[in-house]
Amino acid sequence: MRMLERLAGRLALIVPIVYAALLAPPGGLAAQDGPGAILFTRATVVFPAAIHFVAGVDAAPDAIARATLTVAQAGETLFISEMDDAGYELRASDAYTEVIVTWALDHPPYPRAFAPLAYEWSVETGEGDVSAASGEVVVVDPRFEWRTAGEPPLTLHWHNDRLNGAGIRAELEPVLAALREHTGRAPEFEFVIYDPAAPLCPTVTD
């Protein structure tokens, strides 16, 4: 009982994964050239509300006839958006047009945290030029440097040493073993541990 009381206090810090933030590197380069080519892609998170995907296309906005974004994880398609859908934006510059799609994370399916997320763009111009590009980002809250202990069926992630995620996992292992023994089931658990003082929903401006 005393061990369970300690665990209850420690678990008060644990936030189960519901959805997570994404952050792409500054951008991916597409190995294409010519009219309508996708010059680069990138993905950026507005934590925890949405993900912005951008493709830089070598064409004027009115020359882009069709654009499709597909986002998948572990082989499962989570999000598809066509240019006619709400959330699309075309932003022109001197050198290219940015095709921008916003994936609002306000309903399932949500991407899994701390796992790769793959996205693929397809763009077609009015002249029939077709271009495709793909990229991959890791599902993670980019504001912190994360540490990880364990693997399925029990994985913990934390962002500073004071949280001692490895120690918490060691204390949870016998509890999970008892659960398997008494229920005959082997559930999987994955937790993200935040410092109580960490701002979970920072303020952002347009």
Side-chain angles (χ1 to χ4, degrees):
M1 179 63 69
R2 189 170 295 175
M3 183 182 75
L4 292 177
E5 289 174 352
R6 290 202 311 271
L7 287 175
R10 303 291 286 277
L11 289 173
L13 297 174
I14 297 179
V15 180
I17 297 174
V18 178
Y19 49 80
L22 296 171
L23 179 68
L29 295 179
Q32 303 175 28
D33 54 23
I38 299 175
L39 305 176
F40 65 87
T41 66
R42 66 174 181 268
T44 308
V45 66
V46 179
F47 182 80
I51 307 162
H52 293 316
F53 295 90
V54 179
V57 181
D58 184 13
D62 57 4
I64 299 174
R66 184 183 64 85
T68 303
L69 172 69
T70 304
V71 185
Q73 191 170 57
E76 178 185 0
T77 299
L78 302 181
F79 179 74
I80 299 177
S81 184
E82 301 281 350
M83 197 164 71
D84 292 337
D85 297 340
Y88 255 86
E89 179 184 355
L90 299 179
R91 184 179 300 166
S93 70
D94 293 337
Y96 51 81
T97 295
E98 288 188 342
V99 184
I100 304 169
V101 177
T102 299
W103 178 13
L105 300 176
D106 54 2
H107 58 81
Y110 302 111
R112 181 173 179 175
F114 297 90
L117 186 78
Y119 61 89
E120 183 172 353
W121 283 96
S122 176
V123 175
E124 183 177 351
T125 68
E127 298 296 322
D129 298 309
V130 178
S131 182
S134 60
E136 187 176 274
V137 294
V138 176
V139 179
V140 64
D141 183 343
R143 299 170 301 152
F144 305 102
E145 292 187 12
W146 292 96
R147 299 157 176 81
T148 298
E151 57 187 21
L154 179 59
T155 309
L156 276 76
H157 311 276
W158 68 100
H159 64 86
N160 70 41
D161 290 333
R162 293 188 297 107
L163 297 172
N164 189 22
I168 294 175
R169 184 184 186 278
E171 293 185 7
L172 286 173
E173 281 184 324
V175 177
L176 184 60
L179 182 65
R180 287 195 297 265
E181 179 181 353
H182 291 289
T183 66
R185 298 183 179 182
E188 292 190 5
F189 297 94
E190 187 168 9
F191 299 99
V192 177
I193 311 174
Y194 279 88
D195 190 294
L200 297 185
C201 297
T203 301
V204 295
T205 56
D206 294 334

